[in-house]
């Protein structure tokens, strides 16, 4: 593979240090090619990584990892770092693509300090490393690399506010590529823009206001300039911010021109920049059904607005944003604010719908509890892509039920089909009594044998098909699985009752009591962690009754890029396994 | 009650507006007396409220509540606001003290927009109100009043960052009393100090950096100055910060001189400022046991450090702070940072113990999940005052088990007695494999009939007393209740088995399986919400086994200043009720 001739000689950061300066541009070019090649083939974060190649080369020439600690925020811009720390094979060798994750992973390398995939954590984490260093009397540099809009997250501010007082070595590199995941929002990014426009001299300076020394590098893709700037802050005895202006997508024209689309991309054709998979023929996802319906409702009522935290692409909100800009609010990476803002908008008479990727709603638990539910504010929260997935360990979406369903006042709904998805949004927006959340599975809306929908009445489950002996409760996206289980049971001569619970947060005690007369077994199926989830509430309800209860769902664990089918088997979630366990 | 002659004539804000300016000082004096009188008798937030009396008078003279919306951050400085909005009786009439809560409460008055008791929420909430106003085409002022260290919380930053871009009327009043709950921490408070020292002119200015217009009032206890400043920002067409320098504890010398102690105080003697209850004769709380032990361990090992988020008083950490200042880190109101910081310190080789009041740990769920548990970092988290209480609805501590116990990798421990409290801290600090949290009840360590302690082995419950037919699992502080239940059962001829589970996060399946042979009933008792909690896991375990399970604990609801005894009865948690339900 001569296209990676130089990169293949780099086994660790000291190899980077030993290169003649004249060869660094070639290294950068090979790194860029490696990132582009893998991401175009497998999908992944493109723009952030193309933008940080020179930054990473400079980091490893100036600092001494792993003695010096580099903490990558979100860590989706760490591919170049992986290329220089013994893991280039994961980008240059298609057969080994799968060996390397898209985020920093201490299990892969001693140069990765933390497993990180949620934003805005790097400064706090680095601050803890710096304090431990000081307490243990060690001497090394601690560097947080933060960018891609992560500064807007509250944890990043808390970290900066505390790190400013460290009184010892601490370096924050702000990788400013002018973007969040989508375009940037918030007053802070106005400040960054002014700093860029003024070559770093504009006042008032946010970082200086907090107490940091501040330095600016205009060309953040110039290795020499970056190296010089880092040499100056290396071994600093106090906290410093190095603001580096990089180009997101640098070196690949389609990514430079469409920064949002190439922040993260599905596999694409390098020549044209076109995504390979034709999504127009794909079946609709739950998220698309809801958002299309939301857009129609918003067209009819200007009080209905959509709120999201920097993820319009992941949530299929770009069309809504384009066509209804006055009713669309991207608050940046700021989930806490998004929930409080939604709650208050509802109190103020608007009809907000705040949409979150499943794994990120957990960034706003206190706001769900205090700002929303304690105030019983009729805002609508939509959780997308909830359920068991093959995602990276940092992007799992299986913990939302224990998280949310145990908060008082919240009505948490799980639609089982397309019609119910629309129905639940209608219901949530038509009422004024409860905060309502809607849990959407990640995949396409299923074709079902039975129609699981019925008029919504608070905490009323739907008895979709009457049977006896065994009742199967299939929550939301797992109603389809319940149908399959019922089918299997029929092969064993059991005509099972099929129930669509719909309400995660309230038991239909009447229906559950009614089952006792003609059923000795109840099965619960949920597409999420069993611990603290829906099924356990059913187990508690039947605790003193002559009904056996079997709860099926995910195990309480962090899984990392495990195929869904394998997880289903591991959790005994195939229809065969479920029936085998219950009939045993 | 001539001491409140003027105050008693104030029924709503228009009465404040109609007063001659010359009478305002008398009003302020009466308000101060009312606050002092009630707090000295009943306990409560003293310093914050004494400091905001003039500010509140000016607010209600300049703005038109409830048309103009005033959002009080934390809202523990809202007593003066209550005095001027028809609720003075709750401060001037001892017989009616209990009618008025210590926080804003829409159920009490149309002048309270939200129920608020956690900090740093006001700017986000007010931002949502402002946006709803703009969408609905309304015209009024929206004012957030933030202070007492709340600016360090991430949600406050997220709110400011977004509010800066509103492009319409928005007023943030920063009540700067130079304090957090304890002393202030973080770079931001250095900035505030410089602004105070310079009469508001120091640069760089944090608020201006985010895009706010900025104004300063040096004497924040001068009604005329405040009124003039508010008149100037009233109806502003863009976001403004009005930085007001107030004196915490103003007008009551002991509170002015000891701001931290009088932030919140137990009942005290007005003349001397001495707390009435002599705490020296009180039995030790779980928290005191743990912190005393922690201090001893820290004295022997400089790597052991205590971290907390602005609540040294509530957590009995003042002694530790005084005697081991090098090992004590108060990060300010910044729970997210506290958890990430602790996790990273542990990764860096220190032995951090981060302590939180029970109701506040929920502000850092994502950090517990991602920064701590996903990284399997051996930091120690201590949750104090967990359990059913008579607290205000904003300060409940019953939701921590569903919140924390369903996060992978975390070991969540519940000590039942004094010795076990120390033992668990020893165990947590001696190991390097798991993040460990310890759940401490709020009250005194109990005198038990049995010794529930035994060497700690991961996920091994302690069979404290062997019996048959019924097994009682009493978690943590409810082990004492389990003993009482066992006693009652004995009166019915049942020699119950008594178990101390200790591990909230992992089932002792061997022991639970073993029980089946000689027990047909298992009772679980937990001092927290049943939904998503410990007991439901036991119910799930026995779902398919011939064992009845009864889960006892709190109902999923926000309770508000309900006496504990009443809640115990409501939740069927008296020994008599438990036995009656199980034997029914």
């Amino acid at each position: 593979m001569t296209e990676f001739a130089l990169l293949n000689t780099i086994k660790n950061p000291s190899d980077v240090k030993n290169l003649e300066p004249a060869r660094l541009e070639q290294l950068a070019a090979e790194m860029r090619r490696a990132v582009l090649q893998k991401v175009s083939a497998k999908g992944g974060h493109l723009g952030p990584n193309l933008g940080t190649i020179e930054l990473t080369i400079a980091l490893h020439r100036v600092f001494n990892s792993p003695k010096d600690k580099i903490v990558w925020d979100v860590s989706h811009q760490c591919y170049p770092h992986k290329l220089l720390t013994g893991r280039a094979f994961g980008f240059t060798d298609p057969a080994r693509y799968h060996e390397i994750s898209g985020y920093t992973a201490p299990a892969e390398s001693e140069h990765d300090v933390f497993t990180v995939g949620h934003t805005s954590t790097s400064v706090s984490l680095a601050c803890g490393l710096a304090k431990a260093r000081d307490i243990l009397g060690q001497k090394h540099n601690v560097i947080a690399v933060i960018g891609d809009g992560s500064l807007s997250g509250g944890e990043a501010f808390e970290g900066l506010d505390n790190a400013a007082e460290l009184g010892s070595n601490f370096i924050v590199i702000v990788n400013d590529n002018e973007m969040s995941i989508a375009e940037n929002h918030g007053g802070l990014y106005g400040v960054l823009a002014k700093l860029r426009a003024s070559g770093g001299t504009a006042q008032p300076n946010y970082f200086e206001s907090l107490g940091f020394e501040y330095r600016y590098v205009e060309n953040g893709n110039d290795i020499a300039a970056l190296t010089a700037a880092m040499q100056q802050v290396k071994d600093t005895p106090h906290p410093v911010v190095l603001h580096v202006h990089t180009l997101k997508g640098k070196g690949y024209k389609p990514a430079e021109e469409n920064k949002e689309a190439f922040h993260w991309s599905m596999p694409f054709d390098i020549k044209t920049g076109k995504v390979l998979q034709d999504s127009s023929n794909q079946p609709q996802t739950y998220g698309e059904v809801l958002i299309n319906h939301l857009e129609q409702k918003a067209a009819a009522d200007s009080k209905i607005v959509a709120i999201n935290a920097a993820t319009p692409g992941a949530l299929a909100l770009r069309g809504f944003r384009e066509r209804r800009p006055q009713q669309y609010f991207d608050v940046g990476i700021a989930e806490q604010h998004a929930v409080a803002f939604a709650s208050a908008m509802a109190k103020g008479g608007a009809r907000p719908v705040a949409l979150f990727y499943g794994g990120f709603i957990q960034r706003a638990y206190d706001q769900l509890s205090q700002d929303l539910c304690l105030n019983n504010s009729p805002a609508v929260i939509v959780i997308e892509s909830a359920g068991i997935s093959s995602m990276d360990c940092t992007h799992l979406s299986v913990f939302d039920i224990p998280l949310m369903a145990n908060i008082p006042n919240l009505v948490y709904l799980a639609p089982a089909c397309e019609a119910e998805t629309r129905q639940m949004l209608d219901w949530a927006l038509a009422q004024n009594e409860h905060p309502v959340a809607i849990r959407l599975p990640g995949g396409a809306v299923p074709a079902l044998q039975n129609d699981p929908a019925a008029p919504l009445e608070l905490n009323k489950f739907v008895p979709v098909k009457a049977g006896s002996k065994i009742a199967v409760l299939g929550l939301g996206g797992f109603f389809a699985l319940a149908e399959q289980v019922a089918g299997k049971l029929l092969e064993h001569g059991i005509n099972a009752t099929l129930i669509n619970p719909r309400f995660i947060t309230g038991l239909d005690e009447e229906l559950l009591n009614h089952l006792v007369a003609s059923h000795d077994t109840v099965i619960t199926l949920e597409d999420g962690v069993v611990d603290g989830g829906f099924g356990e509430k059913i187990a508690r309800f039947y605790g003193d009754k002559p009904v056996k209860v079997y709860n099926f769902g995910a195990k309480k664990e962090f899984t990392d890029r495990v195929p869904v089918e394998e997880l289903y088997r591991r959790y005994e979630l195939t229809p065969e396994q479920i029936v085998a366990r219950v009939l045993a």
Side-chain angles (χ1 to χ4, degrees), chain A:
Chain A
M1 289 190 282
T2 54
E3 54 183 335
F4 302 120
L6 182 54
L7 179 56
N8 284 336
T9 68
I10 305 293
K11 299 302 176 196
N12 60 55
S14 62
D15 295 330
V16 185
K17 284 190 183 62
N18 293 335
L19 282 184
E20 289 299 313
R23 303 200 65 194
L24 296 177
E25 287 304 327
Q26 184 192 337
L27 178 63
E30 291 185 15
M31 290 168 70
R32 200 154 260 130
R33 203 178 302 139
V35 167
L36 193 57
Q37 192 166 297
K38 177 174 181 179
V39 176
S40 68
K42 303 295 289 181
H45 285 99
L46 186 69
N49 287 299
L50 292 180
T52 53
I53 284 174
E54 290 80 10
L55 173 63
T56 309
I57 292 173
L59 267 172
H60 282 300
R61 283 180 69 86
V62 173
F63 296 101
N64 299 306
S65 175
K67 184 168 184 289
D68 291 331
K69 309 293 179 198
I70 306 169
V71 182
W72 294 90
D73 202 275
V74 200
S75 85
H76 64 222
Q77 76 273 47
C78 74
Y79 298 5
H81 167 76
K82 295 199 174 194
L83 288 169
L84 301 181
T85 52
R87 290 168 281 178
F89 62 83
F91 296 82
T92 59
D93 181 355
R96 303 188 68 184
Y97 281 167
H98 65 283
E99 292 179 33
I100 297 301
S101 90
Y103 301 88
T104 52
E108 285 178 7
S109 168
E110 62 179 348
H111 298 283
D112 293 2
V113 192
F114 297 102
T115 301
V116 177
H118 286 198
T119 74
S120 314
T121 70
S122 60
V123 181
S124 275
L125 289 172
C127 187
L129 291 178
K131 185 60 83 177
R133 172 199 63 198
D134 296 346
I135 282 179
L136 300 178
Q138 300 168 342
K139 300 271 172 219
H140 53 256
N141 288 275
V142 176
I143 305 117
V145 186
I146 186 165
D148 267 326
S150 297
L151 282 171
S152 58
E155 186 181 358
F157 170 77
E158 293 183 4
L160 286 171
D161 189 37
N162 273 277
E165 285 199 329
L166 264 174
S168 59
N169 173 277
F170 194 74
I171 300 164
V172 181
I173 296 182
V174 175
N175 167 32
D176 177 6
N177 57 28
E178 307 183 29
M179 293 287 289
S180 179
I181 295 170
E183 71 268 36
N184 259 317
H185 291 277
L188 179 55
Y189 292 99
V191 185
L192 292 184
K194 282 183 201 147
L195 285 167
R196 290 193 304 267
S198 65
T201 61
Q203 286 292 347
N205 180 307
Y206 170 73
F207 304 104
E208 288 179 356
S209 83
L210 291 174
F212 283 86
E213 183 189 341
Y214 171 87
R215 288 160 182 264
Y216 180 72
V217 178
E218 167 57 24
N219 189 345
N221 295 97
D222 177 332
I223 298 171
L226 288 163
T227 305
M230 289 184 199
Q231 291 285 11
Q232 286 173 351
V233 298
K234 187 181 181 182
D235 301 324
T236 171
H238 57 250
V240 176
V241 164
L242 185 62
H243 178 186
V244 174
H245 181 198
T246 61
L247 179 60
K248 192 165 184 167
K250 166 84 175 174
Y252 181 58
K253 207 164 173 223
E256 289 185 12
E257 288 174 351
N258 194 343
K259 295 186 174 67
E260 182 181 317
F262 280 95
H263 170 79
W264 185 95
S265 179
M266 301 282 286
F268 60 91
D269 176 38
I270 294 185
K271 282 209 184 101
T272 63
K274 289 230 167 80
V275 169
L276 295 174
Q277 193 182 27
D278 179 3
S279 63
S280 63
N281 293 322
Q282 298 294 311
Q284 271 206 317
T285 65
Y286 283 90
E288 288 163 350
V289 169
L290 184 132
I291 289 167
N292 288 340
H293 192 53
L294 176 63
E295 190 176 335
Q296 285 180 26
K297 295 181 76 75
D301 182 351
S302 64
K303 295 195 299 298
I304 295 177
V305 303
I307 297 168
N308 93 107
T311 53
L315 302 183
L317 274 167
R318 287 184 184 135
F320 189 106
R321 174 178 68 182
E322 191 184 323
R323 290 182 290 272
R324 307 219 70 78
Q326 302 301 320
Q327 287 158 273
Y328 174 81
F329 303 107
D330 181 343
V331 300
I333 298 174
E335 292 81 1
Q336 301 182 82
H337 173 73
V339 170
F341 180 69
S343 174
M345 283 193 81
K347 278 282 175 197
R351 303 299 337 215
V353 178
L355 303 100
F356 299 88
Y357 168 73
F360 296 157
I361 187 62
Q362 68 186 47
R363 294 164 66 85
Y365 177 90
D366 196 49
Q367 291 69 36
L368 290 173
S369 165
Q370 299 288 304
D371 296 328
L372 181 69
C373 293
L374 176 60
N375 282 284
N376 221 11
S377 185
V380 181
I381 306 289
V382 175
I383 307 302
E384 285 211 40
S385 300
I388 298 164
S389 74
S390 60
M391 295 293 278
D392 178 275
C393 58
T394 62
H395 280 65
L396 304 175
S397 296
V398 289
F399 302 108
D400 58 295
I401 296 182
L403 188 87
M404 296 170 66
N406 301 307
I407 301 175
N409 295 352
L410 185 70
V411 176
Y412 198 13
L413 298 169
C417 66
E418 183 177 339
E420 213 172 39
T421 302
R422 284 191 284 265
Q423 178 196 26
M424 285 176 174
L425 183 63
D426 289 341
W427 185 84
L429 284 170
Q431 58 85 46
N432 240 319
E433 284 76 45
H434 315 282
V436 176
I438 304 176
R439 183 180 205 257
L440 302 181
V445 287
L448 297 173
Q449 297 157 36
N450 306 276
D451 177 5
L456 272 176
E457 193 182 334
L458 189 67
N459 298 338
K460 287 292 173 196
F461 296 0
V462 185
V464 177
K465 193 168 85 62
S468 64
K469 198 165 158 50
I470 297 181
V472 189
L473 279 65
L475 187 68
F478 267 17
F479 182 79
L481 176 61
E483 282 189 336
Q484 294 176 288
V485 170
K488 280 273 162 231
L489 287 169
L490 206 54
E491 295 172 15
H492 291 83
I494 297 168
N495 179 27
T497 293
L498 204 52
I499 293 168
N500 172 18
R502 307 192 291 183
F503 291 87
I504 311 176
T505 35
L507 296 186
D508 184 344
E509 300 200 356
E510 190 185 347
L511 178 145
L512 293 175
N513 271 317
H514 189 73
L515 290 179
V516 179
S518 51
H519 298 76
D520 60 23
T521 300
V522 167
I523 302 173
T524 69
L525 308 174
E526 66 195 293
D527 193 4
V529 69
V530 169
D531 300 70
F534 172 76
E536 287 186 347
K537 294 178 208 323
I538 305 290
R540 165 161 62 95
F541 178 84
Y542 285 120
D544 63 344
K545 298 176 185 66
V547 171
K548 286 188 180 178
V549 177
Y550 295 85
N551 300 139
F552 290 89
K555 194 181 153 201
K556 183 178 76 170
E557 63 174 351
F558 293 114
T559 56
D560 192 25
R561 295 166 292 146
V562 182
V564 174
E565 298 69 29
E566 187 180 330
L567 290 176
Y568 279 20
R569 282 194 303 276
R570 182 188 298 177
Y571 301 149
E572 299 193 308
L573 284 173
T574 70
E576 294 74 17
Q577 288 172 307
I578 291 167
V579 169
R581 184 177 147 205
V582 172
L583 297 186

